[in-house]
């Protein structure tokens, strides 16, 4: 499993999460929906580049919030405070072989992996 991380800076804000509902100071934000969409896009691009399925889960990490209340985690996106992010990531069980991780890393760091033509086609595998 790979992760698509989205840091959201909300200094001294009160954040409340209930499933797909992400509220910042009482105002609904599209962070869960956007993170879900981005994770699917990243999965598609990396799967094509690596020639094997790369599963990607979205993670929204609020930064500098006064409070973070997660009543219910979204089904396929995880919300975790930035201060707890490294511990949370290290706590995930390994699911990929070392060779797969190396291939994903190699392809993810190439700008050509993320380049797209006007028609939406990838420009090459690296």
């Amino acid at each position: 499993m790979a992760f698509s991380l989205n840091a959201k800076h909300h200094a001294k804000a009160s954040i409340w999460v209930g499933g797909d509902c992400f509220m910042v100071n009482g105002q609904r934000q599209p962070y869960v929906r956007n993170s879900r969409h981005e994770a699917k896009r990243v999965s598609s691009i990396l799967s094509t580049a690596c020639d094997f399925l790369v599963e990607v889960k979205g993670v929204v990490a609020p930064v500098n919030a006064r409070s973070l209340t997660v009543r219910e985690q979204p089904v396929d996106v995880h919300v975790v405070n930035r201060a707890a992010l490294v511990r949370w990531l290290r706590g995930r069980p390994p699911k990929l072989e070392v060779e797969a991780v190396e291939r994903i890393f190699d392809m993810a760091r190439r700008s050509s992996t993320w380049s797209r033509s006007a028609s939406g086609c990838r420009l090459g595998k690296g």
Side-chain angles (χ1 to χ4, degrees):
M1 176 78 57
F3 299 96
S4 172
L5 303 176
N6 290 281
K8 301 299 179 190
H9 188 261
H10 289 289
K12 301 181 182 177
S14 296
I15 298 175
W16 183 92
V17 179
D20 285 353
C21 184
F22 192 108
M23 306 282 280
V24 177
N25 293 330
Q27 298 294 312
R28 190 176 187 127
Q29 300 296 325
Y31 299 154
V32 172
R33 181 197 69 205
N34 293 354
S35 184
R36 181 178 292 125
H37 175 76
E38 182 177 278
K40 287 179 184 175
R41 179 178 171 270
V42 169
S43 174
S44 176
I45 291 169
L46 287 177
S47 294
T48 298
C50 293
D51 292 324
F52 60 83
L53 177 63
V54 178
E55 294 182 55
V56 179
K57 183 171 186 169
V59 177
V60 179
V63 178
N64 293 330
R66 176 178 56 238
S67 65
L68 171 61
T69 302
V70 180
R71 186 61 63 87
E72 177 186 356
Q73 285 287 350
V75 173
D76 54 354
V77 171
H78 195 81
V79 178
V80 60
N81 189 309
R82 191 233 16 115
L85 183 59
V86 171
R87 184 171 20 98
W88 182 82
L89 287 169
R90 286 186 175 154
R92 303 301 97 206
K95 295 195 176 199
L96 296 171
E97 299 295 325
V98 172
E99 295 80 15
V101 172
E102 289 173 352
R103 177 74 174 155
I104 293 167
F105 175 74
D106 181 47
M107 298 314 291
R109 68 190 187 102
R110 296 180 187 198
S111 60
S112 60
T113 297
W114 307 102
S115 299
R116 293 184 175 269
S117 68
S119 66
C121 298
R122 257 183 13 84
L123 293 176
K125 291 189 178 182

